[in-house]
Amino acid sequence: MHKTNSVLILDFGSQYTQLITRRIREKNVYSEIQPNTFPFEKVKMLKPKGIILSGGPMSVYDKNALELDGRIFELNIPVLGICYGMQLITKMFGGKVMQSDNREYGKAELNILKESMILENVRNGSVVWMSHGDIITEAPENFTVVASTADTPVAAFENKEKRIYGLQFHPEVHHTQEGSKIIENFLFNICNIKPDWKPENFIESKINEIKETVGDANVLLALSGGVDSSVAAVLVDKAIGKQLYCIHVDSGLMRKNESAEVVRMFRDNFDLNLKHVDASHLFLSRLKNVTDPEEKRKIIGKTFIDVFDEEASKIENVKFLVQGTLYPDVIESVSVKGKSATIKTHHNVGGLPEKMNLKLIEPFRELFKDEVRAIGRELNLPGDFIRRHPFPGPGLAVRILGDVTEERLAILQEADDIFITELKISGLYDKIWQAFAVLLPIQTVGVMGDARTYENALVLRSVTSIDGMTADWYKFEPGFLEKVSNKIIRNVRGINRVVYDISSKPPATIEWE
C-alpha cells in the first residue's frame, strides 16, 4: 500500500534524520530511513515518489566523506538535499562548496530571491534554522539560486528540469517557521504524493500480510500489557484469531494490581487466547540478595525465558513469535563512521527466537510510538491502555535500588500508585511522558508523632519527552508535590522522606538503574 507512495530518506548522519521522517508521516505520507550506502537496485525496487538526502556532521571535503550513487539522479524521481545533502549535490554537479572557518548554527532570516515550487507560499523573511560548517559559494550549472540569508549566499536552489532541490537550512525542525509548508511543497506539489498513510489503511494491509505469512501455523505473543504488546495482540488477533496464543507472565515486579488489570481488560474486551502465569515467587526468590542492576536484568530476562518457554512448549504447531518492535528500535539513528553507516538493531526480547527457533512477526517495526497509539485507538483499545507511560522490561526491580524484597516491592507499589493516581486526578498524567517513584537503599531520620523514625527515602521522577531519547524534568506546582509527598508519608509505612528528581536527559537517564 505505502511502498509505492512513499519518500525514501538517505541518511548522512544528521541528528535530525528521524525528525524528517516524523514530519513527513504527520502529513499522512509513508517515509523510511536508509543509510547513504543503500544499494541503487533497492532504491529502484522501492519506487519511492521522492528522495531526501539528509544533513550530516561531515564536510564533503573530508577524506572519508560520505558519497551517493549518482545514478539516483537519473531515475526521474524528485530529490531534496538538506544541508550536507545539498552540498553533496553541489559537489556532484560541479558547483563550489567552500570550507568555512565559522560554523553557522541557529536562526537566520530567509531572503526569497525567485519563485520556486519548493518555496511556494513561504513568507519572505521567515526564520529558518541553520546548522552547517561549509557554505556553497557557487551553484552548479543549470541550478537556480532561489533563496539566501545574510551569511549564506546559496540558502536554497533548484534544477526544475531534473527536479532536484536543495536547502541549506533544516525545514524539519520547529525553529524553521515555514518548515511544514516547505515539506508539504515537496511532497504534494513536486512529488505529487497521495497522503494515504493512515491507521485504517495500515491495519487493513498489515492484517492481510500477517494472514499470508502465518498460514495455518500458531503464533506466540508475550503480552506485558504495555502499549506495544497490547496493540500488537489485538491487531494479530484480528488477522488470525485463535491461532494467536498470548502469554502474560506475572513477575510480581509490575505496578500495583497491574497484572490483574491487564488480564481483566483483555478478557472483558477481547476474546483472546490468553494464559496468565503467576511466577512472582520464582522471580523474587531468584532476585534475593541481588543488588547489581545488570545482574537483576540478566536474572529477570532468564527467568522470563524459562517461564515463557515452559508455557510455549505446551502449544503445538508454533512457528512465529510476535514482538512489538518499533522503528526507533530498528534504526534509532544512522551513526556514520568513515564510509560505513551502522544501523542500531533491536535486541529481541530475552533471546526467545534463538532459543525456540521461531520466526519473528514485527507489525510495528515501521512505526513510532505515537503511530502505534493511533493504531490502538483505531482498534478500540481502552484509552487508559493507549495512553500508558513507558515501563521498563525488568519492572520495579530497577526502581528498587539495592535488594528487591517482597516488603520493599509493596512499599514502592503503594507509593507509586499514590503518585500516578494524583497525576490522573490533577489532569497531569497525559502531559507527561513518564512518571514513577524510585525506592532508595537509604534510610533517613524522621519524626512521626512523638517518636523518631529511621525509614526509607523515596524519589519522584517525572519527565516530558517526544521519544525518550532526550527528556526534561516536569515543572510541577509546589503545591502538587507537597500534596503527593504528604499523602505518601502518611499512608505508606516505611517511607519518611520524599524528594523530587530535577535532572534532565542527558546527562542523567530517565530510569535510575
Side-chain angles (χ1 to χ4, degrees), residues 93-382:
F93 281 86
K96 290 183 181 175
V97 183
M98 188 177 80
Q99 288 181 294
S100 174
D101 295 331
N102 299 316
R103 179 179 175 81
E104 188 181 16
Y105 184 82
K107 294 176 181 178
E109 277 192 16
L110 189 68
N111 177 27
I112 297 175
L113 305 172
K114 293 186 178 179
E115 281 188 13
S116 167
M117 286 181 80
I118 195 73
L119 299 177
E120 192 175 322
N121 296 321
V122 170
R123 184 168 50 84
N124 201 6
S126 65
V127 170
V128 296
W129 185 259
M130 292 288 188
S131 178
H132 61 97
D134 296 354
I135 61 167
I136 297 164
T137 55
E138 191 180 312
E141 193 177 343
N142 299 322
F143 280 70
T144 305
V145 179
V146 295
S148 64
T149 68
D151 297 315
T152 305
V154 185
F157 65 34
E158 69 174 11
N159 181 322
K160 273 188 183 176
E161 187 188 345
K162 290 185 176 290
R163 299 204 289 171
I164 300 171
Y165 300 82
L167 303 172
Q168 189 56 78
F169 55 90
H170 289 274
E172 69 274 23
V173 303
H174 284 300
H175 303 297
T176 297
Q177 290 174 339
E178 302 270 30
S180 182
K181 198 173 286 180
I182 292 168
I183 290 169
E184 285 177 6
N185 285 339
F186 183 68
L187 298 177
F188 306 127
N189 298 351
I190 294 168
C191 300
N192 296 312
I193 293 177
K194 184 182 173 187
D196 65 354
W197 175 246
K198 297 173 184 175
E200 58 269 30
N201 293 355
F202 172 87
I203 291 166
E204 185 184 341
S205 66
K206 195 55 69 172
I207 283 173
N208 292 333
E209 184 186 310
I210 291 166
K211 278 181 183 172
E212 199 175 313
T213 302
V214 169
D216 61 358
N218 287 329
V219 178
L220 287 177
L221 184 147
L223 183 60
S224 69
V227 173
D228 306 331
S229 70
S230 296
V231 179
V234 176
L235 177 69
V236 178
D237 177 66
K238 273 193 173 296
I240 59 170
K242 297 302 179 185
Q243 288 169 253
L244 174 67
Y245 290 80
C246 298
I247 299 171
H248 175 72
V249 177
D250 180 2
S251 63
L253 302 169
M254 297 176 79
R255 290 166 282 211
K256 185 180 177 183
N257 300 328
E258 188 166 23
S259 261
E261 287 169 10
V262 168
V263 172
R264 183 166 58 249
M265 189 281 283
F266 277 101
R267 287 191 173 150
D268 288 353
N269 295 280
F270 303 97
D271 186 25
L272 294 182
N273 266 337
L274 175 57
K275 178 70 185 288
H276 176 207
V277 185
D278 185 354
S280 51
H281 290 298
L282 177 63
F283 278 85
L284 280 171
S285 66
R286 290 189 180 181
L287 286 168
K288 192 174 181 180
N289 299 324
V290 177
T291 58
D292 179 76
E294 279 310 303
E295 192 60 27
K296 285 180 189 175
R297 279 187 163 84
K298 285 176 186 170
I299 289 168
I300 291 164
K302 185 180 183 309
T303 306
F304 178 84
I305 290 169
D306 292 345
V307 175
F308 192 90
D309 192 26
E310 187 182 339
E311 290 303 319
S313 65
K314 300 171 186 174
I315 303 164
E316 294 181 354
N317 193 31
V318 174
K319 293 181 182 175
F320 297 91
L321 176 78
V322 178
Q323 286 188 177
T325 311
L326 301 187
Y327 199 36
D329 298 327
V330 178
I331 175 170
E332 281 194 25
S333 64
V334 179
S335 58
V336 177
K337 295 171 185 173
K339 287 192 178 180
S340 66
T342 306
I343 300 174
K344 180 177 177 184
T345 53
H346 177 61
H347 297 286
N348 295 331
V349 176
L352 283 167
E354 291 86 347
K355 183 180 176 68
M356 301 168 67
N357 195 28
L358 299 178
K359 292 174 187 168
L360 281 180
I361 293 175
E362 297 172 305
F364 305 142
R365 64 180 288 114
E366 300 164 332
L367 304 186
F368 291 98
K369 183 73 115 183
D370 55 334
E371 293 173 320
V372 174
R373 288 194 166 111
I375 302 294
R377 282 190 288 273
E378 198 71 25
L379 291 169
N380 297 317
L381 264 89

Side-chain angles (χ1 to χ4, degrees), residues 393-428:
L396 297 180
V398 291
R399 292 178 182 172
I400 296 172
L401 275 58
D403 198 9
V404 181
T405 65
E406 205 165 341
E407 181 192 7
R408 299 189 78 213
L409 191 56
I411 289 171
L412 181 58
Q413 283 173 332
E414 289 297 326
D416 185 78
D417 186 58
I418 289 169
F419 183 32
I420 300 302
T421 300
E422 288 300 323
L423 286 174
K424 289 177 178 176
I425 290 169
S426 303
L428 295 171

Side-chain angles (χ1 to χ4, degrees), residues 410-423 435-439 448 455-461 476 480-500:
I411 289 171
L412 181 58
Q413 283 173 332
E414 289 297 326
D416 185 78
D417 186 58
I418 289 169
F419 183 32
I420 300 302
T421 300
E422 288 300 323
L423 286 174
F436 54 91
V438 178
L439 191 63
M448 288 192 183
E455 291 179 334
N456 295 283
L458 183 87
V459 177
L460 301 180
R461 179 79 161 134
F476 287 113
F480 176 82
L481 288 173
E482 182 182 19
K483 182 181 178 183
V484 171
S485 173
N486 287 341
K487 204 162 187 178
I488 288 171
I489 291 170
R490 285 181 191 146
N491 292 282
V492 183
R493 287 179 66 93
I495 294 173
N496 68 357
R497 189 177 301 270
V498 174
V499 299
Y500 186 50

Side-chain angles (χ1 to χ4, degrees), residues 21-143:
T21 224
R22 290 186 71 88
R23 293 288 169 265
I24 292 170
R25 292 191 187 186
E26 284 166 8
K27 313 291 181 192
N28 294 327
V29 172
Y30 179 74
S31 67
E32 68 179 61
I33 302 166
Q34 294 292 348
N36 70 295
T37 51
F38 194 59
F40 175 69
E41 293 304 322
K42 288 191 176 179
V43 175
K44 281 171 66 178
M45 283 169 61
L46 275 180
K47 296 180 181 173
K49 288 285 183 69
I51 295 172
I52 294 179
L53 313 179
S54 85
M58 305 180 85
S59 164
V60 290
Y61 292 107
D62 286 348
K63 186 181 176 183
N64 295 318
L66 297 178
E67 296 170 354
L68 182 71
D69 191 322
R71 290 177 293 173
I72 278 171
F73 299 108
E74 297 165 13
L75 293 173
N76 197 30
I77 296 171
V79 176
L80 171 62
I82 297 173
C83 202
Y84 181 91
M86 182 190 192
Q87 292 164 9
L88 189 58
I89 290 169
T90 303
K91 186 184 174 189
M92 291 175 76
F93 281 86
K96 290 183 181 175
V97 183
M98 188 177 80
Q99 288 181 294
S100 174
D101 295 331
N102 299 316
R103 179 179 175 81
E104 188 181 16
Y105 184 82
K107 294 176 181 178
E109 277 192 16
L110 189 68
N111 177 27
I112 297 175
L113 305 172
K114 293 186 178 179
E115 281 188 13
S116 167
M117 286 181 80
I118 195 73
L119 299 177
E120 192 175 322
N121 296 321
V122 170
R123 184 168 50 84
N124 201 6
S126 65
V127 170
V128 296
W129 185 259
M130 292 288 188
S131 178
H132 61 97
D134 296 354
I135 61 167
I136 297 164
T137 55
E138 191 180 312
E141 193 177 343
N142 299 322
F143 280 70

